[in-house]
Amino acid sequence: MNSSDNPYVGLRPFKSEESLLFFGRSNQVVELLQRLHAHHFVAVVGGSGSGKSSLVRAGLIPALQAGYLVDNSDAWKIGIMKPGRQPLHHLAESLTRMADPDATDSAVSEMLTQIEEGGVEVILDLLEPIYRRHRTNFFLLVDQFEELFRYSVDIGDTEQRDQAIDFVNIMLELTNQRRVPVYVVLTMRSDFIGDCAEFYGLPEAMNQSLYLVPRMSREDLKQVIESPTKLFGKQVSTRLTSRLLNAMNRVKDELPLLQHALMRMWEYELKSDQSGVLDLADYDGIGRLNKALSQHANEALE
């Protein structure tokens, strides 16, 4: 169910276009902007379910596009990628389509070949004319950076490892140069942080601008629960908010599970309860926070 039907996104991360529904992280967005301004590179690190991707996608990226990072400039080209098994290919695809959204697969393949041969200079040659013509800034999100270790390092394939090293070197060189304004943010699970020592220069870069995603305060979580509903002309009962806040510390992956439970309560309220308010009846109806996911799965099977 998309955000036009439901103010809660469920288990998946927020998208940039859902920033109006993204609450409780304003202070963290400001802190990310400060680090990005100083270093052009930020490693956003946190545990599973801590909201890393959502913080960048629905918090940081809309702030960039609103002009909060670069004075007198809200012109941005945004690229989002995951390393996967072929990090250089995904980098070439992201950069090529950043420069030309209608680029063909053959153009991506050509860019990949050029990057393999010429490195970061090829990328700067691609982006510099756009920057000179439109004063455009460039932002690259490398989401789920830990895939680089899973697919390129842990399997012990020399060619894959070499590609991973080239990818990290290019990423760091892009953020260290000042010919073209390029900003890079990676998101990574905290249990992989020790693996970064496999790459020369990466630990040093992360030490400068590591951002460990903090747990949300009770007041922040209250905004997450109540504010989206207000945008849709409904309310959350005070008793339900208190019950959810008290239950949060007793579950793993608390933020995705909270969003999923809220999404399900919204659906239950519209289809079954119809009281006009999200309340404890809706909470009980979806199996509460600890059983909402399994109850949803059972309904799907039936």
Side-chain angles (χ1 to χ4, degrees):
M1 181 168 289
N2 60 44
S3 58
S4 64
D5 304 313
N6 195 313
Y8 303 103
V9 302
L11 294 172
R12 66 168 175 80
F14 280 81
K15 302 174 184 176
S16 295
E17 56 268 25
E18 294 167 333
S19 59
L20 287 176
L21 301 174
F22 186 68
F23 290 93
R25 298 281 199 179
S26 55
N27 291 337
Q28 295 171 27
V29 171
V30 171
E31 291 168 352
L32 283 179
L33 287 169
Q34 291 170 340
R35 282 167 169 74
L36 201 58
H37 174 75
H39 303 291
H40 286 227
F41 170 83
V42 180
V44 180
V45 177
S48 175
S50 62
K52 303 178 294 294
S53 293
S54 295
L55 176 58
V56 178
R57 290 171 183 253
L60 179 61
I61 289 176
L64 298 178
Q65 294 171 323
Y68 287 114
L69 183 70
V70 181
D71 289 340
N72 302 316
S73 177
D74 58 359
W76 287 86
K77 292 281 189 179
I78 307 291
I80 297 176
M81 62 163 288
K82 297 177 183 178
R85 295 183 181 276
Q86 299 177 303
L88 284 181
H89 172 81
H90 295 305
L91 177 65
E93 181 177 31
S94 182
L95 292 169
T96 303
R97 300 219 155 97
M98 188 188 297
D100 178 10
D102 299 320
T104 62
D105 291 342
S106 61
V108 172
S109 297
E110 183 179 348
M111 174 55 59
L112 173 60
T113 301
Q114 292 178 8
I115 290 174
E116 290 173 335
E117 294 174 353
V120 73
E121 289 300 317
V122 171
I123 298 172
L124 296 177
D125 289 343
L126 171 70
L127 301 181
E128 187 171 23
I130 303 172
Y131 168 63
R132 299 296 178 194
R133 193 160 53 246
H134 304 294
R135 308 306 294 179
T136 300
N137 306 287
F138 302 91
F139 176 84
L140 178 67
L141 168 60
V142 185
D143 207 3
Q144 297 182 23
F145 186 74
E146 64 270 12
E147 289 185 354
L148 200 66
F149 309 116
R150 187 181 304 129
Y151 294 129
S152 302
V153 177
D154 292 347
I155 60 174
D157 187 303
T158 302
E159 184 177 342
Q160 289 281 86
R161 181 179 174 82
D162 289 344
Q163 185 177 158
I165 292 172
D166 289 342
F167 171 74
V168 171
N169 288 340
I170 288 172
M171 184 180 66
L172 295 177
E173 288 176 37
L174 280 174
T175 58
N176 287 329
Q177 58 78 40
R178 292 299 180 262
R179 182 174 141 196
V180 178
V182 179
Y183 300 82
V184 175
V185 169
L186 64 86
T187 65
M188 184 179 68
R189 277 174 39 200
S190 53
D191 45 324
F192 284 87
I193 197 165
D195 295 281
C196 294
E198 295 281 342
F199 299 96
Y200 180 79
L202 183 58
E204 291 82 356
M206 293 182 67
N207 284 338
Q208 280 190 326
S209 57
L210 176 71
Y211 187 78
L212 183 61
V213 178
R215 293 193 65 176
M216 300 180 75
S217 69
R218 195 172 177 92
E219 185 59 36
D220 291 338
L221 289 169
K222 183 178 179 182
Q223 291 182 37
V224 170
I225 294 167
E226 297 180 348
S227 296
T229 305
K230 293 177 182 177
L231 290 178
F232 280 61
K234 291 186 179 294
Q235 290 184 324
V236 177
S237 74
T238 302
R239 292 179 64 193
L240 175 58
T241 298
S242 297
R243 186 71 63 85
L244 287 169
L245 292 174
N246 292 337
M248 287 288 283
N249 293 328
R250 298 195 293 267
V251 294
K252 293 181 64 176
D253 296 329
E254 56 184 26
L255 291 177
L257 287 179
L258 175 63
Q259 280 288 331
H260 175 262
L262 288 165
M263 180 192 73
R264 292 279 289 158
M265 281 188 279
W266 179 269
E267 296 170 355
Y268 187 87
E269 164 62 28
L270 292 184
K271 296 176 182 178
S272 301
D273 189 36
Q274 299 181 353
S275 66
V277 178
L278 290 188
D279 53 24
L280 293 179
D282 302 306
Y283 188 52
D284 292 335
I286 60 104
R288 304 189 178 186
L289 194 61
N290 59 335
K291 295 183 179 179
L293 191 58
S294 59
Q295 182 169 312
H296 192 185
N298 290 335
E299 291 175 11
L301 286 172
E302 291 171 2

